[in-house]
Amino acid sequence: MDHEIHKLIYQAIDQTITPDNLERLQDAIEGSREVRLEYLRAVHLGETLEEIATSEMHSAVSSPEQVTSSLPADLLSPSRVNHGSRGFGLKTWASAKTTQPGDTFPPGSDTGNAEPNRLATGVLGFSWGPLVIAASIVAIISCVALWSGRTNTSDQAPRVSRWESSHGRAEESLIAGHATLRRSVDVQWSDNATSFHEGDVLPNGMLQFDGGLMEIDVFCGASLIVEGPASLRFESDWEVSLVKGRLRANVPPVARGFIVKAADSEIIDLGTEFALEVGADHARVEVLDGEVELRGGPHDGDHLVTGQGEWLTGSGTEAFALHGISSGEDLRRRLQQAQSQRFAEWQRFSEELSGDRRLMAYYPSAGSKSERIIRNAASASTARNGHLVGPVEHVSGRFGAQSTGLEFDRPGSRVRTRIDGKFQAFTFFAWVKIDSLDHIYNSLFLADGYENGEPHWQIRDDGRLMFSVMVDDKQDVRVANRFDKEIVRDAGRHHVYFTDPIWDATQSGQWLQLAAVYDPQRRRVEQYVNGQQVSSEEIVDDFYIADLRIGPAEIGNWGQPFRDSPWFAVRNLNGTIDELGIFNAALDASEILHLYDQGKPLGY
């Protein structure tokens, strides 16, 4: 939408618009459904913010996140006003002032097809007073957001950027890097060095580690086996400098011309494989198969072929040690042994954890052998077992091929369970590998009906964790379902506890331990990633509920089996879960960290 139209909308709300511009805005509203939608969205947002600011339950506004996290999830969605074709028009705006803090903006309603009114005081059926307050709040929040953004930009550059078209619309995500860390074993990262996990994109700059072995795929197609201690610098998709350590480069035809720099020389691979060692007082290269060209240094212009080597600096008379440099097969064998050991350690811990009497359900799918059932390891009863429904696939878990995870990358995939009873607190934890966040809401664990005391645990498409518990399902909202053209029930009063974004595309395919704690006794909701707390928020009176339940529920999706239509929300997780546990207790930070330490895979 034209930026000027946005500007006019907010000038109209705060009554600073000139008569000429008011006329222009009126024409735009009459002539464009998009403008009508945007105008109503701005008015509704202002009204909601006013209600939040003046409510006793929110005594102070300290950050923009505190405000936005109090809004209904649908209100935060850019698509929330882009629904349906009937019902909620300009003329009915005044009645919207009766909505409650937990209400949602009707997703199936139509704010755009109603006949537009002329934009003048009284014509729309409301006074400007509340909107002036709302606009002031919007201005304050904007200032806070601007200040927050400025103060945060100095910490680190974003890992994912977006390229924008000439029209200002986000078109494509960008990630900076030249290679991928494919496999590693026993890596010990140097002090103050950036650490990476398998699958990470390696950016421009230095990679340092004190021990271990890793395999790196450079984007040009070359593959490197690097032994620690090592320091190497990535300069482009075709160039890397080895400052210290031992390196074995395999260069297929597609990557011919790949350059490794060392000791003031460039080693240009003409295919297929060479080894390089750089120490404090020497540097030597040897061709294992094929041919390389040397540029710079004392051997500028020399060519070396299979079996030949050269000292780039220093000299030696002893048998060349590079003959014993690790190969890809060596790395694979060491990795397999290490994964087996780590898996066995986790299995012992998992068996011990199963005896924790606070566990109400525990699904260690990493050890699951059944095709369609995941046993609840917290009980001998089968009542709370998980049942695989739809295209759920058994795939490799976080300990490699010998362990098992469950992949939910298709809309119908889900694991159904039923956990009856009343509970005093919730602690959810799960090991999750996210491939992408394709949907607005991406499910981890959701109770079916979302009734009083029932939890929903999800990830938004912007990477924020979401945890909520229904407080009063009687305060529901009736909305027009745009598929069935009828009024259906929507969520009641609840509060969504958001984290800051904890995931972006650079973490695709990585394992994360996620945890959420709902503690009515302490009136706190806390969330964790890899054992570290990422959010802590008070449970205020309006959203407090002590009697917790789950009942029928799903892992990795949301079935809504009691809905009144065949349509269901697409919330399947595009990723894999290989362990999920639920405690009838509020675990503290040290216990969450212990779960992470005992369950983390290699390289964490």
Side-chain angles (χ1 to χ4, degrees), residues 54-108:
T54 55
S55 171
E56 291 183 357
M57 69 182 180
H58 296 280
S59 58
V61 174
S62 59
S63 70
E65 287 76 11
Q66 188 173 344
V67 173
T68 56
S69 66
S70 300
L71 298 176
D74 274 349
L75 182 63
L76 301 175
S77 168
S79 61
R80 60 176 295 280
V81 297
N82 191 22
H83 299 283
S85 59
R86 303 186 70 82
F88 196 76
L90 278 169
K91 292 180 180 178
T92 63
W93 178 84
S95 64
K97 290 180 68 63
T98 61
T99 56
Q100 300 300 310
D103 288 350
T104 57
F105 194 95

Side-chain angles (χ1 to χ4, degrees), residues 230-293:
S231 299
L232 62 162
R233 180 186 300 108
F234 287 94
E235 300 180 1
S236 76
D237 291 359
W238 290 88
E239 295 178 314
V240 61
S241 293
L242 183 64
V243 179
K244 179 180 68 175
R246 288 155 55 101
L247 173 151
R248 183 183 187 122
N250 184 284
V251 182
V254 70
R256 281 177 184 166
F258 175 69
I259 298 173
V260 178
K261 299 178 180 177
D264 298 325
S265 296
E266 293 184 351
I267 305 160
I268 305 169
D269 195 288
L270 305 178
T272 304
E273 195 170 34
F274 69 91
L276 175 66
E277 177 177 294
V278 177
D281 55 0
H282 72 279
R284 181 175 173 88
V285 59
E286 181 164 310
V287 178
L288 304 177
D289 183 25
E291 182 179 4
V292 302
E293 178 186 355

Side-chain angles (χ1 to χ4, degrees), residues 392-438:
V392 182
E393 301 291 342
H394 290 268
V395 296
S396 295
R398 66 189 190 274
F399 304 110
Q402 59 190 316
S403 63
T404 303
L406 298 175
E407 189 177 61
F408 300 87
D409 66 350
R410 296 169 65 183
S413 56
R414 62 198 66 207
V415 173
R416 290 195 57 76
T417 186
R418 184 182 186 107
I419 304 173
D420 290 330
K422 294 182 180 180
F423 310 109
Q424 291 73 50
F426 286 143
T427 295
F428 288 82
F429 81 96
W431 278 95
V432 182
K433 185 182 73 173
I434 302 169
D435 294 329
S436 62
L437 297 176
D438 295 340

Side-chain angles (χ1 to χ4, degrees), residues 124-144:
L124 295 179
F126 62 89
S127 67
W128 289 106
L131 295 182
V132 174
I133 298 172
S136 300
I137 296 170
V138 171
I140 293 170
I141 291 170
S142 300
C143 292
V144 172

